Amino acid sequence: MNKQTEVLQEASRVAGIDAVGVSNLLELNHFRNRFSLEKDRKTAFFKGELQEKFDYHAIWNNTKSIISFAVGYYSDVEEPNDEKLRGKISRCAWGEDYHVVLRRKADLFIHELKKSFGEFQSVIMIDNGVISDRACAYTAGIGFYGKNGFIINPRLGSYLFLGTILTDLQLKENEHFLLQQCGACQLCLHSCPNQVLSESFGFDYEKCISYQTQKGMDTDTKGWIYGCDICQQICKFNHGIESGLHHEFDTEPLLAYPDIKELSEIDKEQFDQRYAKSSLNWKGYRTIKRNSEQMMHRLNHDNNQKGE
């Protein structure tokens, strides 16, 4: 293990980061060139041209290296066994807001790096910048692209929060990319209720339940109030992975599987008290309440149809 790798791994250990690497900028440029030919291809929640997500110099002109890091967030909380109608909240919104948690870890990580590398400048992005966090993670050797579109780490699975740090440090880049290991498996493709995924890694995001819940669309979300974990729950790489790596993402069963009726009637003050620290709050009270109201309406309609 070379000195740079030792420093990165020790800093990540102190900061509570599970995987770290330095992105290969040539490989990132290959992504950019490929997507520059696909003028009509779009991605959810980003209005620009897709190749912009790989143009790190346009994002920060002083970029010399890109550090990618991952934090595993898988937790196992059982749904309450009661008579209430319960919805489901994606694991990505359990516990404390991951944007806040990863920013805190990234700040500590950089602090630790400066003990060895001296002063340097950096820009931290936690799922809220232009850069493609997944492409950076792949080119840093953190994982491979699964057929479900997630970055999959052989040890941590795909329940990964990703962070990206642009820096003016000159670091040795990763040269070993993880080969796609899904093989002939198509479980995620077939398990998706809306058939969002394709063998050619296509992704029809407007049909994705997670996207629909975040946009507050009036569609059948199969019980999901916010987000969707179906294509991750079925993935073989998520079977047997360690649970509860970070206490910040711990939650209570009643928050992970809320009472739909109660949530549809909740007022803003109650919502803020319950979910103030959750990433659920990013989409806000109105979106979550509307999702719950729509779900209650569909359930009541279905029950009335059965009773006729």
Side-chain angles (χ1 to χ4, degrees):
M1 184 184 299
N2 60 43
K3 180 64 175 178
Q4 175 183 296
T5 301
E6 289 179 359
V7 171
L8 289 174
Q9 291 193 355
E10 176 59 18
S12 65
R13 184 193 65 78
V14 173
I17 288 170
D18 298 313
V20 67
V22 180
S23 298
N24 187 297
L25 300 186
L26 180 60
E27 190 67 17
L28 267 183
N29 283 326
H30 289 162
F31 273 91
R32 181 188 177 194
N33 293 335
R34 189 177 82 208
F35 287 118
S36 68
L37 301 176
E38 301 184 27
K39 295 291 185 182
D40 297 328
R41 183 166 177 176
K42 302 296 180 183
T43 186
F45 308 110
F46 181 68
K47 303 303 181 184
E49 298 295 335
L50 203 53
Q51 66 267 22
E52 295 175 38
K53 294 179 73 65
F54 311 97
D55 192 353
Y56 45 88
H57 278 138
I59 298 168
W60 190 51
N61 190 49
N62 292 336
T63 303
K64 292 183 180 177
S65 301
I66 298 177
I67 301 172
S68 177
F69 67 92
V71 173
Y73 66 90
Y74 180 75
S75 291
D76 195 13
V77 175
E78 291 189 12
E79 183 174 353
N81 184 19
D82 56 27
E83 300 300 319
K84 294 182 178 180
L85 294 171
R86 297 196 172 277
K88 295 172 285 188
I89 303 294
S90 171
R91 282 179 170 84
C92 70
W94 290 7
E96 187 179 357
D97 185 343
Y98 68 91
H99 300 89
V100 176
V101 175
L102 265 67
R103 168 71 62 166
R104 192 163 60 232
K105 291 180 182 294
D107 285 338
L108 179 54
F109 175 71
I110 290 172
H111 174 77
E112 291 297 313
L113 288 185
K114 288 182 177 180
K115 293 180 181 179
S116 297
F117 293 144
E119 285 298 317
F120 60 87
Q121 299 298 312
S122 59
V123 174
I124 302 170
M125 286 172 286
I126 310 296
D127 194 26
N128 58 353
V130 175
I131 199 80
S132 171
D133 296 312
R134 294 185 185 185
C136 290
Y138 167 72
T139 59
I142 285 176
F144 61 89
Y145 272 99
K147 290 182 181 179
N148 58 7
F150 285 90
I151 294 297
I152 299 176
N153 177 281
R155 178 173 64 90
L156 300 166
S158 68
Y159 289 102
L160 299 175
F161 290 134
L162 301 175
T164 305
I165 302 172
L166 308 184
T167 175
D168 59 1
L169 275 176
Q170 192 73 60
L171 299 173
K172 179 175 172 56
E173 300 173 4
N174 171 62
E175 296 178 350
H176 304 286
F177 311 111
L178 294 182
L179 296 177
Q180 210 263 7
Q181 298 174 31
C182 297
C185 180
Q186 296 185 337
L187 288 175
C188 61
L189 277 65
H190 297 312
S191 68
C192 177
N194 296 349
Q195 300 297 289
V196 170
L197 305 165
S198 71
E199 186 74 36
S200 59
F201 294 90
F203 181 74
D204 189 351
Y205 71 84
E206 291 184 333
K207 291 165 56 179
C208 176
I209 288 175
S210 180
Y211 177 81
Q212 292 172 350
T213 62
Q214 293 180 66
K215 297 294 286 186
M217 298 168 64
D218 187 8
T219 57
D220 182 2
T221 59
K222 309 302 180 185
W224 294 92
I225 297 291
Y226 180 82
C228 177
D229 290 336
I230 292 175
C231 66
Q232 296 199 85
Q233 290 171 334
I234 199 70
C235 179
K236 62 183 180 181
F237 292 101
N238 289 327
H239 296 168
I241 60 174
E242 190 173 349
S243 176
L245 289 172
H246 303 276
H247 67 85
E248 296 97 328
F249 306 127
D250 292 345
T251 194
E252 300 175 10
L254 298 183
L255 296 180
Y257 302 96
D259 180 338
I260 298 173
K261 185 177 187 299
E262 181 187 18
L263 199 54
S264 69
E265 298 173 349
I266 196 171
D267 62 34
K268 190 174 188 309
E269 182 179 356
Q270 293 170 320
F271 179 85
D272 288 341
Q273 288 176 348
R274 187 178 301 179
Y275 294 109
K277 294 184 177 180
S278 168
S279 58
L280 198 73
N281 216 13
W282 269 58
K283 290 304 173 183
Y285 163 71
R286 291 183 180 179
T287 298
I288 302 305
K289 189 173 188 296
R290 184 167 61 243
N291 289 348
S292 304
E293 290 171 342
Q294 290 168 353
M295 191 172 294
M296 277 301 300
H297 176 75
R298 283 193 296 273
L299 289 171
N300 289 333
H301 178 267
D302 291 345
N303 288 336
N304 290 335
Q305 290 289 97
K306 291 177 182 177
E308 291 179 358

